Amino acid sequence: MVTPQLTVQLSDGHRIPQLGLGVWQASQYEARHAVELAIETGYRHVDTASIYGNEEGVGEGIRNASVPREQVFLTTKIWNDAQGRENTAKAIDASLTRLKVDYVDLLLIHWPAPSKDKYVETWKALIAAQQAGKARSIGVSNFNPEHLHRLIGETGVSPVLNQVELHPFLQQQYLRKHHASLGIATQSWSPLGQGSALTHSGIVGIAQKHGRTPAQVIIRWHMELGLIAIPKSITPSRIRENLDVFNFSLDAADLASIEKMNTGTRLGPDPASFG
Ligand code: NAD
């Protein structure tokens, strides 16, 4: 069993394990089994969202595992249709009820949905939830720099983290620099490019060189860049494989070669127009 020892300190003082399990597109049943197995394997971080429709399964998987709930870093997110102060307050309580937990470790606004123009009010509901002990840390997902600046400017409270699409084909250098200047941690969603980066010949070559798998090379790349990654799998062997990245390193040539794979290609929607 390999346990990830690495954590990243957030600006509010809490620590987040650098590697977690994503459960988008997992059913309740699949999420329950994947989460339980992942925790038994050594994961201490699970990423879900109300829109994934599997919060009950995630909560059950955490309860079934032989690790106290306090040792598992749990994230959920507020979906676009629940934006606005009152709707968000209700959505937070509904997520806690489905997960059967008193608090989540991290609560995120899933998308800024700028056309709704409600993300500042939504952020105020997250601030209130944190003050009420329902979320240890609060952050955002898919926010562009202008959305971040508006939140901070209007509330004086900075998100601790921004979870964005980030993989070898979309490396987000500009956003990462921006985050660093604001003290915001960068979390990578679709860290494997939804599987598409696994067959890139450059990744396959690096994997062969190190006697590792393509998934391990890409996850290791996220770790070496100081990113927080949440690769998704419900397959036991892959769940184990994806965690086994803390006993090898990429060299400077590997990092330079992956840097060149950036094409700026998005797999998901553009945050400037989505929602
Ligand atoms: P991913 O990049 O994690 O790729 C997952 C896919 O890669 C799996 O379905 C599987 O087919 C394959 N895979 C995983 N491990 C493998 C291995 N070892 N070998 C071979 N194939 C492997 O894609 P994702 O699920 O889109 O993203 C990960 C997580 O990020 C999600 O589950 C979710 O928690 C989060 N996410 C967040 C947002 C957001 O808007 N905030 C959007 C998308 C995803």
Side-chain angles (χ1 to χ4, degrees), residues 17 24 79 98 131 138-139 160 163 172 211 217 221 235 255 273:
W24 180 40
W79 188 241
R98 286 191 292 268
Q131 285 163 352
I138 52 174
V160 295
Q163 182 184 118
Q172 303 269 27
V217 165
W221 173 76
T235 308
L255 294 173
S273 53

Side-chain angles (χ1 to χ4, degrees), residues 62-174:
I62 293 174
R63 287 193 301 283
N64 289 348
S66 58
V67 167
R69 187 269 172 267
E70 308 75 60
Q71 290 180 24
V72 180
F73 191 103
L74 174 61
T75 301
T76 196
K77 317 185 190 84
I78 301 300
W79 188 241
N80 304 344
D81 63 3
Q83 287 217 10
R85 203 154 174 166
E86 282 179 22
N87 284 346
T88 298
K90 283 187 205 144
I92 294 167
D93 288 343
S95 279
L96 294 178
T97 301
R98 286 191 292 268
L99 289 159
K100 290 202 187 149
V101 294
D102 302 326
Y103 69 92
V104 288
D105 296 272
L106 180 62
L107 183 61
L108 305 178
I109 304 179
H110 208 141
W111 290 85
S115 67
K116 291 186 196 297
D117 197 20
K118 286 185 178 169
Y119 64 82
V120 176
E121 287 306 303
T122 304
W123 185 237
K124 288 178 185 165
L126 265 62
I127 295 169
Q130 185 182 34
Q131 285 163 352
K134 296 177 184 182
R136 294 265 159 98
S137 297
I138 52 174
V140 294
S141 179
N142 301 303
F143 273 47
N144 285 341
E146 66 265 31
H147 308 132
L148 295 171
H149 284 292
R150 185 160 164 221
L151 276 197
I152 298 166
E154 292 195 28
T155 66
V157 180
S158 176
V160 295
L161 169 155
N162 190 12
Q163 182 184 118
V164 296
E165 182 179 344
L166 203 160
H167 43 74
F169 306 146
L170 183 69
Q171 299 188 13
Q172 303 269 27
Q173 282 97 337
Y174 175 75

Side-chain angles (χ1 to χ4, degrees), residues 24 47 52 141-142 163 189-190 192 194 230 232 241-242:
W24 180 40
D47 180 88
Y52 299 170
S141 179
N142 301 303
Q163 182 184 118
W189 66 250
S190 294
L192 304 173
Q194 297 175 2
I230 43 172
K232 182 246 180 172
E241 174 188 328
N242 293 350

